[in-house]
Amino acid sequence: MWFDRALVALLVLSAPATAQMSKERARAIAGEPAATPQRLTLTDIPVPTSKPTALFDGRSLTGWAPWLGYADPAITYKSNPGTPPIGTSRNTSGDFAVRTVDGAPAIWVKGQTWGSLVNRADLRDYHLRLQFKWGARTWAPRATMPRNNGLLYHTHGAAGEVFGTWRPSVEFEIMTGSTGMIVAVGGKLRGRTSVTSDPSLVEPHLRFRVGGRDIEIVNGTPTWNVEAATDAERPIGEWNTLDLYVVGDRAVHVVNGVPVGEVHGLATIASNGTRQPLTHGHIQLQSEGAETWFRAITVESIRTLPRIVVAGK
């Protein structure tokens, strides 16, 4: 996730009145907190219309383009960092590489310098599956915060367009406690989802809920992200499977077989205010402060999305 949620939490703790105001604002946006959690399941899983294609060949980073942000990640969110991002000006083999872990090849992301690997394939109407697990290392300025990374999709725009570090996209958050969260990366991206307010979360206190209030996700506003329906991630050190289903301007996020989020109405906003549906793009594997391993990255074509339903209904 490109916004420092832990920093927000610290600010909230130091200002109880502000914290109460933000919770009241969440209630105004999303309604009263849900009385009970939902147990969600996935139905109508689409039949693929193509054979799976591997986006990682197990030998090299062929098909992937690295990009690095600032040498000091602590300046990433400053309005005027005063120095250009690293971009592609240095050898990135110490940041991204293919290494063996658990007896098989995987993409290793060091995480110390923020940035991403961008896949060169322009994807639309697909089911993407990958496995990830956390490595042992975390790095300043987030060494004591939840491990953070992300799968970014419908990537478009220029390299480093967002905080000199990422390209505009939709984020399938990969973060301890929040994997599957929906985030708008870039100020001109929009998407809608259904939510309830949840005062147990840090700001913006919004959690995905089937049948909840429909809201628009907009960067830089009180609805800039929506937390996953539940924490379905396995313990640190174990492999997790992520499934991303995308058809047109809609997507479903699934963590270890558990659906945790859905977004629809994805769009970009042009300088003249025109709204254009966002229906395709590249994927990015983030580097954002925590060592991470990725493997078994495949994509196959689909024509329909699975449905998220509440178990027992």
PDB file of all heavy atoms in Angstrom, residues 173-206:
ATOM      1  N   GLU A 173      -4.074  -5.184  -2.117  1.00  0.00           N
ATOM      2  CA  GLU A 173      -3.097  -4.994  -1.046  1.00  0.00           C
ATOM      3  C   GLU A 173      -2.525  -6.315  -0.562  1.00  0.00           C
ATOM      4  O   GLU A 173      -3.240  -7.318  -0.436  1.00  0.00           O
ATOM      5  CB  GLU A 173      -3.776  -4.287   0.125  1.00  0.00           C
ATOM      6  CG  GLU A 173      -2.888  -4.019   1.302  1.00  0.00           C
ATOM      7  CD  GLU A 173      -1.819  -3.003   0.970  1.00  0.00           C
ATOM      8  OE1 GLU A 173      -2.126  -1.805   0.958  1.00  0.00           O
ATOM      9  OE2 GLU A 173      -0.675  -3.423   0.736  1.00  0.00           O
ATOM     10  N   ILE A 174      -1.225  -6.317  -0.326  1.00  0.00           N
ATOM     11  CA  ILE A 174      -0.565  -7.433   0.355  1.00  0.00           C
ATOM     12  C   ILE A 174       0.090  -6.833   1.597  1.00  0.00           C
ATOM     13  O   ILE A 174       1.132  -6.191   1.519  1.00  0.00           O
ATOM     14  CB  ILE A 174       0.488  -8.105  -0.549  1.00  0.00           C
ATOM     15  CG1 ILE A 174      -0.167  -8.668  -1.815  1.00  0.00           C
ATOM     16  CG2 ILE A 174       1.218  -9.218   0.205  1.00  0.00           C
ATOM     17  CD1 ILE A 174       0.836  -9.237  -2.820  1.00  0.00           C
ATOM     18  N   MET A 175      -0.560  -6.987   2.731  1.00  0.00           N
ATOM     19  CA  MET A 175      -0.057  -6.437   3.978  1.00  0.00           C
ATOM     20  C   MET A 175      -0.578  -7.279   5.130  1.00  0.00           C
ATOM     21  O   MET A 175      -1.751  -7.667   5.137  1.00  0.00           O
ATOM     22  CB  MET A 175      -0.494  -4.979   4.157  1.00  0.00           C
ATOM     23  CG  MET A 175       0.066  -4.331   5.415  1.00  0.00           C
ATOM     24  SD  MET A 175      -0.169  -2.531   5.449  1.00  0.00           S
ATOM     25  CE  MET A 175      -1.934  -2.452   5.710  1.00  0.00           C
ATOM     26  N   THR A 176       0.278  -7.589   6.082  1.00  0.00           N
ATOM     27  CA  THR A 176      -0.153  -8.420   7.202  1.00  0.00           C
ATOM     28  C   THR A 176      -1.390  -7.799   7.856  1.00  0.00           C
ATOM     29  O   THR A 176      -1.390  -6.646   8.255  1.00  0.00           O
ATOM     30  CB  THR A 176       0.969  -8.580   8.237  1.00  0.00           C
ATOM     31  OG1 THR A 176       1.530  -7.292   8.535  1.00  0.00           O
ATOM     32  CG2 THR A 176       2.076  -9.473   7.717  1.00  0.00           C
ATOM     33  N   GLY A 177      -2.437  -8.600   7.930  1.00  0.00           N
ATOM     34  CA  GLY A 177      -3.695  -8.148   8.504  1.00  0.00           C
ATOM     35  C   GLY A 177      -4.648  -7.525   7.529  1.00  0.00           C
ATOM     36  O   GLY A 177      -5.839  -7.346   7.852  1.00  0.00           O
ATOM     37  N   SER A 178      -4.168  -7.178   6.315  1.00  0.00           N
ATOM     38  CA  SER A 178      -5.005  -6.439   5.367  1.00  0.00           C
ATOM     39  C   SER A 178      -4.902  -6.955   3.939  1.00  0.00           C
ATOM     40  O   SER A 178      -5.268  -6.228   3.005  1.00  0.00           O
ATOM     41  CB  SER A 178      -4.623  -4.958   5.392  1.00  0.00           C
ATOM     42  OG  SER A 178      -4.888  -4.378   6.643  1.00  0.00           O
ATOM     43  N   THR A 179      -4.414  -8.158   3.730  1.00  0.00           N
ATOM     44  CA  THR A 179      -4.239  -8.651   2.371  1.00  0.00           C
ATOM     45  C   THR A 179      -5.600  -8.774   1.677  1.00  0.00           C
ATOM     46  O   THR A 179      -6.521  -9.402   2.202  1.00  0.00           O
ATOM     47  CB  THR A 179      -3.490  -9.985   2.371  1.00  0.00           C
ATOM     48  OG1 THR A 179      -2.169  -9.758   2.872  1.00  0.00           O
ATOM     49  CG2 THR A 179      -3.396 -10.571   0.977  1.00  0.00           C
ATOM     50  N   GLY A 180      -5.689  -8.150   0.507  1.00  0.00           N
ATOM     51  CA  GLY A 180      -6.938  -8.107  -0.241  1.00  0.00           C
ATOM     52  C   GLY A 180      -7.616  -6.760  -0.199  1.00  0.00           C
ATOM     53  O   GLY A 180      -8.593  -6.529  -0.920  1.00  0.00           O
ATOM     54  N   MET A 181      -7.139  -5.849   0.662  1.00  0.00           N
ATOM     55  CA  MET A 181      -7.679  -4.494   0.695  1.00  0.00           C
ATOM     56  C   MET A 181      -7.660  -3.870  -0.698  1.00  0.00           C
ATOM     57  O   MET A 181      -6.774  -4.139  -1.501  1.00  0.00           O
ATOM     58  CB  MET A 181      -6.834  -3.629   1.645  1.00  0.00           C
ATOM     59  CG  MET A 181      -7.204  -2.160   1.683  1.00  0.00           C
ATOM     60  SD  MET A 181      -5.914  -1.163   2.483  1.00  0.00           S
ATOM     61  CE  MET A 181      -6.145  -1.619   4.193  1.00  0.00           C
ATOM     62  N   ILE A 182      -8.642  -3.017  -0.988  1.00  0.00           N
ATOM     63  CA  ILE A 182      -8.731  -2.311  -2.264  1.00  0.00           C
ATOM     64  C   ILE A 182      -8.212  -0.894  -2.075  1.00  0.00           C
ATOM     65  O   ILE A 182      -8.668  -0.172  -1.186  1.00  0.00           O
ATOM     66  CB  ILE A 182     -10.183  -2.256  -2.762  1.00  0.00           C
ATOM     67  CG1 ILE A 182     -10.793  -3.656  -2.826  1.00  0.00           C
ATOM     68  CG2 ILE A 182     -10.258  -1.562  -4.121  1.00  0.00           C
ATOM     69  CD1 ILE A 182     -12.315  -3.641  -2.909  1.00  0.00           C
ATOM     70  N   VAL A 183      -7.250  -0.484  -2.917  1.00  0.00           N
ATOM     71  CA  VAL A 183      -6.650   0.849  -2.809  1.00  0.00           C
ATOM     72  C   VAL A 183      -6.589   1.484  -4.188  1.00  0.00           C
ATOM     73  O   VAL A 183      -6.248   0.819  -5.171  1.00  0.00           O
ATOM     74  CB  VAL A 183      -5.226   0.779  -2.214  1.00  0.00           C
ATOM     75  CG1 VAL A 183      -4.680   2.182  -1.969  1.00  0.00           C
ATOM     76  CG2 VAL A 183      -5.200  -0.025  -0.929  1.00  0.00           C
ATOM     77  N   ALA A 184      -6.904   2.766  -4.258  1.00  0.00           N
ATOM     78  CA  ALA A 184      -6.730   3.529  -5.491  1.00  0.00           C
ATOM     79  C   ALA A 184      -5.328   4.126  -5.490  1.00  0.00           C
ATOM     80  O   ALA A 184      -4.986   4.907  -4.607  1.00  0.00           O
ATOM     81  CB  ALA A 184      -7.768   4.644  -5.581  1.00  0.00           C
ATOM     82  N   VAL A 185      -4.519   3.742  -6.454  1.00  0.00           N
ATOM     83  CA  VAL A 185      -3.141   4.237  -6.553  1.00  0.00           C
ATOM     84  C   VAL A 185      -3.099   5.301  -7.657  1.00  0.00           C
ATOM     85  O   VAL A 185      -3.122   4.970  -8.841  1.00  0.00           O
ATOM     86  CB  VAL A 185      -2.163   3.087  -6.847  1.00  0.00           C
ATOM     87  CG1 VAL A 185      -0.731   3.617  -6.962  1.00  0.00           C
ATOM     88  CG2 VAL A 185      -2.240   2.029  -5.748  1.00  0.00           C
ATOM     89  N   GLY A 186      -3.070   6.540  -7.261  1.00  0.00           N
ATOM     90  CA  GLY A 186      -3.085   7.647  -8.212  1.00  0.00           C
ATOM     91  C   GLY A 186      -4.358   8.457  -8.091  1.00  0.00           C
ATOM     92  O   GLY A 186      -5.449   7.904  -7.862  1.00  0.00           O
ATOM     93  N   GLY A 187      -4.227   9.758  -8.234  1.00  0.00           N
ATOM     94  CA  GLY A 187      -5.346  10.649  -7.983  1.00  0.00           C
ATOM     95  C   GLY A 187      -6.430  10.654  -9.032  1.00  0.00           C
ATOM     96  O   GLY A 187      -7.520  11.187  -8.795  1.00  0.00           O
ATOM     97  N   LYS A 188      -6.188  10.077 -10.202  1.00  0.00           N
ATOM     98  CA  LYS A 188      -7.182  10.116 -11.276  1.00  0.00           C
ATOM     99  C   LYS A 188      -7.892   8.785 -11.472  1.00  0.00           C
ATOM    100  O   LYS A 188      -8.551   8.562 -12.487  1.00  0.00           O
ATOM    101  CB  LYS A 188      -6.515  10.551 -12.581  1.00  0.00           C
ATOM    102  CG  LYS A 188      -5.925  11.963 -12.515  1.00  0.00           C
ATOM    103  CD  LYS A 188      -5.238  12.344 -13.805  1.00  0.00           C
ATOM    104  CE  LYS A 188      -4.638  13.756 -13.703  1.00  0.00           C
ATOM    105  NZ  LYS A 188      -3.938  14.134 -14.954  1.00  0.00           N
ATOM    106  N   LEU A 189      -7.768   7.903 -10.483  1.00  0.00           N
ATOM    107  CA  LEU A 189      -8.394   6.589 -10.589  1.00  0.00           C
ATOM    108  C   LEU A 189      -9.629   6.526  -9.699  1.00  0.00           C
ATOM    109  O   LEU A 189      -9.650   7.090  -8.606  1.00  0.00           O
ATOM    110  CB  LEU A 189      -7.395   5.502 -10.190  1.00  0.00           C
ATOM    111  CG  LEU A 189      -7.874   4.080 -10.438  1.00  0.00           C
ATOM    112  CD1 LEU A 189      -6.770   3.257 -11.064  1.00  0.00           C
ATOM    113  CD2 LEU A 189      -8.350   3.428  -9.149  1.00  0.00           C
ATOM    114  N   ARG A 190     -10.669   5.846 -10.177  1.00  0.00           N
ATOM    115  CA  ARG A 190     -11.910   5.700  -9.428  1.00  0.00           C
ATOM    116  C   ARG A 190     -12.365   4.245  -9.453  1.00  0.00           C
ATOM    117  O   ARG A 190     -12.047   3.486 -10.365  1.00  0.00           O
ATOM    118  CB  ARG A 190     -13.026   6.567 -10.028  1.00  0.00           C
ATOM    119  CG  ARG A 190     -12.717   8.057 -10.080  1.00  0.00           C
ATOM    120  CD  ARG A 190     -12.742   8.689  -8.704  1.00  0.00           C
ATOM    121  NE  ARG A 190     -12.613  10.138  -8.804  1.00  0.00           N
ATOM    122  CZ  ARG A 190     -11.441  10.783  -8.810  1.00  0.00           C
ATOM    123  NH1 ARG A 190     -10.303  10.084  -8.758  1.00  0.00           N
ATOM    124  NH2 ARG A 190     -11.400  12.097  -8.883  1.00  0.00           N
ATOM    125  N   GLY A 191     -13.154   3.872  -8.457  1.00  0.00           N
ATOM    126  CA  GLY A 191     -13.766   2.557  -8.405  1.00  0.00           C
ATOM    127  C   GLY A 191     -14.822   2.566  -7.319  1.00  0.00           C
ATOM    128  O   GLY A 191     -14.759   3.371  -6.385  1.00  0.00           O
ATOM    129  N   ARG A 192     -15.774   1.655  -7.414  1.00  0.00           N
ATOM    130  CA  ARG A 192     -16.848   1.600  -6.430  1.00  0.00           C
ATOM    131  C   ARG A 192     -16.883   0.224  -5.767  1.00  0.00           C
ATOM    132  O   ARG A 192     -16.515  -0.791  -6.368  1.00  0.00           O
ATOM    133  CB  ARG A 192     -18.203   1.897  -7.078  1.00  0.00           C
ATOM    134  CG  ARG A 192     -18.273   3.234  -7.799  1.00  0.00           C
ATOM    135  CD  ARG A 192     -19.690   3.622  -8.124  1.00  0.00           C
ATOM    136  NE  ARG A 192     -20.433   3.941  -6.915  1.00  0.00           N
ATOM    137  CZ  ARG A 192     -20.465   5.149  -6.337  1.00  0.00           C
ATOM    138  NH1 ARG A 192     -19.773   6.162  -6.862  1.00  0.00           N
ATOM    139  NH2 ARG A 192     -21.168   5.360  -5.236  1.00  0.00           N
ATOM    140  N   THR A 193     -17.343   0.201  -4.524  1.00  0.00           N
ATOM    141  CA  THR A 193     -17.506  -1.058  -3.805  1.00  0.00           C
ATOM    142  C   THR A 193     -18.524  -0.844  -2.702  1.00  0.00           C
ATOM    143  O   THR A 193     -18.995   0.269  -2.472  1.00  0.00           O
ATOM    144  CB  THR A 193     -16.165  -1.553  -3.247  1.00  0.00           C
ATOM    145  OG1 THR A 193     -16.304  -2.899  -2.788  1.00  0.00           O
ATOM    146  CG2 THR A 193     -15.678  -0.694  -2.088  1.00  0.00           C
ATOM    147  N   SER A 194     -18.894  -1.929  -1.994  1.00  0.00           N
ATOM    148  CA  SER A 194     -19.878  -1.827  -0.914  1.00  0.00           C
ATOM    149  C   SER A 194     -19.179  -2.028   0.428  1.00  0.00           C
ATOM    150  O   SER A 194     -18.319  -2.903   0.571  1.00  0.00           O
ATOM    151  CB  SER A 194     -20.998  -2.852  -1.099  1.00  0.00           C
ATOM    152  OG  SER A 194     -20.480  -4.169  -1.124  1.00  0.00           O
ATOM    153  N   VAL A 195     -19.569  -1.212   1.416  1.00  0.00           N
ATOM    154  CA  VAL A 195     -18.819  -1.158   2.670  1.00  0.00           C
ATOM    155  C   VAL A 195     -19.740  -1.044   3.871  1.00  0.00           C
ATOM    156  O   VAL A 195     -20.922  -0.733   3.765  1.00  0.00           O
ATOM    157  CB  VAL A 195     -17.852   0.044   2.684  1.00  0.00           C
ATOM    158  CG1 VAL A 195     -16.871  -0.019   1.534  1.00  0.00           C
ATOM    159  CG2 VAL A 195     -18.622   1.373   2.651  1.00  0.00           C
ATOM    160  N   THR A 196     -19.129  -1.289   5.023  1.00  0.00           N
ATOM    161  CA  THR A 196     -19.690  -0.916   6.307  1.00  0.00           C
ATOM    162  C   THR A 196     -18.604  -0.143   7.048  1.00  0.00           C
ATOM    163  O   THR A 196     -17.415  -0.268   6.724  1.00  0.00           O
ATOM    164  CB  THR A 196     -20.122  -2.141   7.123  1.00  0.00           C
ATOM    165  OG1 THR A 196     -20.758  -1.724   8.334  1.00  0.00           O
ATOM    166  CG2 THR A 196     -18.934  -3.021   7.489  1.00  0.00           C
ATOM    167  N   SER A 197     -18.985   0.643   8.025  1.00  0.00           N
ATOM    168  CA  SER A 197     -17.979   1.300   8.854  1.00  0.00           C
ATOM    169  C   SER A 197     -17.486   0.305   9.900  1.00  0.00           C
ATOM    170  O   SER A 197     -18.229  -0.581  10.335  1.00  0.00           O
ATOM    171  CB  SER A 197     -18.542   2.555   9.529  1.00  0.00           C
ATOM    172  OG  SER A 197     -19.606   2.222  10.401  1.00  0.00           O
ATOM    173  N   ASP A 198     -16.228   0.448  10.276  1.00  0.00           N
ATOM    174  CA  ASP A 198     -15.625  -0.455  11.258  1.00  0.00           C
ATOM    175  C   ASP A 198     -14.680   0.365  12.137  1.00  0.00           C
ATOM    176  O   ASP A 198     -13.551   0.655  11.746  1.00  0.00           O
ATOM    177  CB  ASP A 198     -14.862  -1.578  10.558  1.00  0.00           C
ATOM    178  CG  ASP A 198     -14.346  -2.627  11.531  1.00  0.00           C
ATOM    179  OD1 ASP A 198     -14.265  -2.332  12.739  1.00  0.00           O
ATOM    180  OD2 ASP A 198     -14.001  -3.736  11.083  1.00  0.00           O
ATOM    181  N   PRO A 199     -15.118   0.747  13.325  1.00  0.00           N
ATOM    182  CA  PRO A 199     -14.290   1.598  14.184  1.00  0.00           C
ATOM    183  C   PRO A 199     -13.014   0.935  14.685  1.00  0.00           C
ATOM    184  O   PRO A 199     -12.123   1.615  15.200  1.00  0.00           O
ATOM    185  CB  PRO A 199     -15.227   1.951  15.347  1.00  0.00           C
ATOM    186  CG  PRO A 199     -16.260   0.871  15.346  1.00  0.00           C
ATOM    187  CD  PRO A 199     -16.429   0.469  13.925  1.00  0.00           C
ATOM    188  N   SER A 200     -12.893  -0.395  14.521  1.00  0.00           N
ATOM    189  CA  SER A 200     -11.666  -1.075  14.956  1.00  0.00           C
ATOM    190  C   SER A 200     -10.501  -0.810  14.010  1.00  0.00           C
ATOM    191  O   SER A 200      -9.343  -1.054  14.365  1.00  0.00           O
ATOM    192  CB  SER A 200     -11.904  -2.581  15.070  1.00  0.00           C
ATOM    193  OG  SER A 200     -12.039  -3.177  13.784  1.00  0.00           O
ATOM    194  N   LEU A 201     -10.796  -0.318  12.809  1.00  0.00           N
ATOM    195  CA  LEU A 201      -9.757  -0.031  11.821  1.00  0.00           C
ATOM    196  C   LEU A 201      -9.196   1.367  12.025  1.00  0.00           C
ATOM    197  O   LEU A 201      -9.849   2.230  12.614  1.00  0.00           O
ATOM    198  CB  LEU A 201     -10.339  -0.129  10.402  1.00  0.00           C
ATOM    199  CG  LEU A 201     -10.946  -1.458   9.986  1.00  0.00           C
ATOM    200  CD1 LEU A 201     -11.656  -1.309   8.647  1.00  0.00           C
ATOM    201  CD2 LEU A 201      -9.878  -2.534   9.916  1.00  0.00           C
ATOM    202  N   VAL A 202      -7.984   1.594  11.508  1.00  0.00           N
ATOM    203  CA  VAL A 202      -7.489   2.957  11.440  1.00  0.00           C
ATOM    204  C   VAL A 202      -8.212   3.651  10.290  1.00  0.00           C
ATOM    205  O   VAL A 202      -8.883   3.013   9.472  1.00  0.00           O
ATOM    206  CB  VAL A 202      -5.961   3.006  11.236  1.00  0.00           C
ATOM    207  CG1 VAL A 202      -5.251   2.368  12.409  1.00  0.00           C
ATOM    208  CG2 VAL A 202      -5.546   2.345   9.932  1.00  0.00           C
ATOM    209  N   GLU A 203      -8.093   4.964  10.241  1.00  0.00           N
ATOM    210  CA  GLU A 203      -8.780   5.736   9.206  1.00  0.00           C
ATOM    211  C   GLU A 203      -8.452   5.198   7.820  1.00  0.00           C
ATOM    212  O   GLU A 203      -7.307   4.858   7.567  1.00  0.00           O
ATOM    213  CB  GLU A 203      -8.345   7.211   9.306  1.00  0.00           C
ATOM    214  CG  GLU A 203      -9.240   8.141   8.554  1.00  0.00           C
ATOM    215  CD  GLU A 203      -8.934   9.604   8.850  1.00  0.00           C
ATOM    216  OE1 GLU A 203      -7.957   9.880   9.547  1.00  0.00           O
ATOM    217  OE2 GLU A 203      -9.674  10.459   8.347  1.00  0.00           O
ATOM    218  N   PRO A 204      -9.440   4.984   6.953  1.00  0.00           N
ATOM    219  CA  PRO A 204     -10.784   5.567   6.952  1.00  0.00           C
ATOM    220  C   PRO A 204     -11.898   4.718   7.559  1.00  0.00           C
ATOM    221  O   PRO A 204     -13.070   5.013   7.326  1.00  0.00           O
ATOM    222  CB  PRO A 204     -11.033   5.806   5.460  1.00  0.00           C
ATOM    223  CG  PRO A 204     -10.327   4.692   4.774  1.00  0.00           C
ATOM    224  CD  PRO A 204      -9.088   4.444   5.608  1.00  0.00           C
ATOM    225  N   HIS A 205     -11.587   3.643   8.299  1.00  0.00           N
ATOM    226  CA  HIS A 205     -12.601   2.867   9.032  1.00  0.00           C
ATOM    227  C   HIS A 205     -13.661   2.257   8.117  1.00  0.00           C
ATOM    228  O   HIS A 205     -14.835   2.169   8.487  1.00  0.00           O
ATOM    229  CB  HIS A 205     -13.300   3.735  10.085  1.00  0.00           C
ATOM    230  CG  HIS A 205     -12.385   4.545  10.939  1.00  0.00           C
ATOM    231  ND1 HIS A 205     -11.543   3.988  11.871  1.00  0.00           N
ATOM    232  CD2 HIS A 205     -12.173   5.888  10.979  1.00  0.00           C
ATOM    233  CE1 HIS A 205     -10.851   4.951  12.476  1.00  0.00           C
ATOM    234  NE2 HIS A 205     -11.209   6.103  11.937  1.00  0.00           N
ATOM    235  N   LEU A 206     -13.283   1.827   6.943  1.00  0.00           N
ATOM    236  CA  LEU A 206     -14.222   1.245   5.984  1.00  0.00           C
ATOM    237  C   LEU A 206     -13.812  -0.187   5.657  1.00  0.00           C
ATOM    238  O   LEU A 206     -12.656  -0.453   5.338  1.00  0.00           O
ATOM    239  CB  LEU A 206     -14.258   2.065   4.692  1.00  0.00           C
ATOM    240  CG  LEU A 206     -14.638   3.538   4.824  1.00  0.00           C
ATOM    241  CD1 LEU A 206     -14.505   4.236   3.481  1.00  0.00           C
ATOM    242  CD2 LEU A 206     -16.062   3.684   5.361  1.00  0.00           C
TER     243      LEU A 206
END
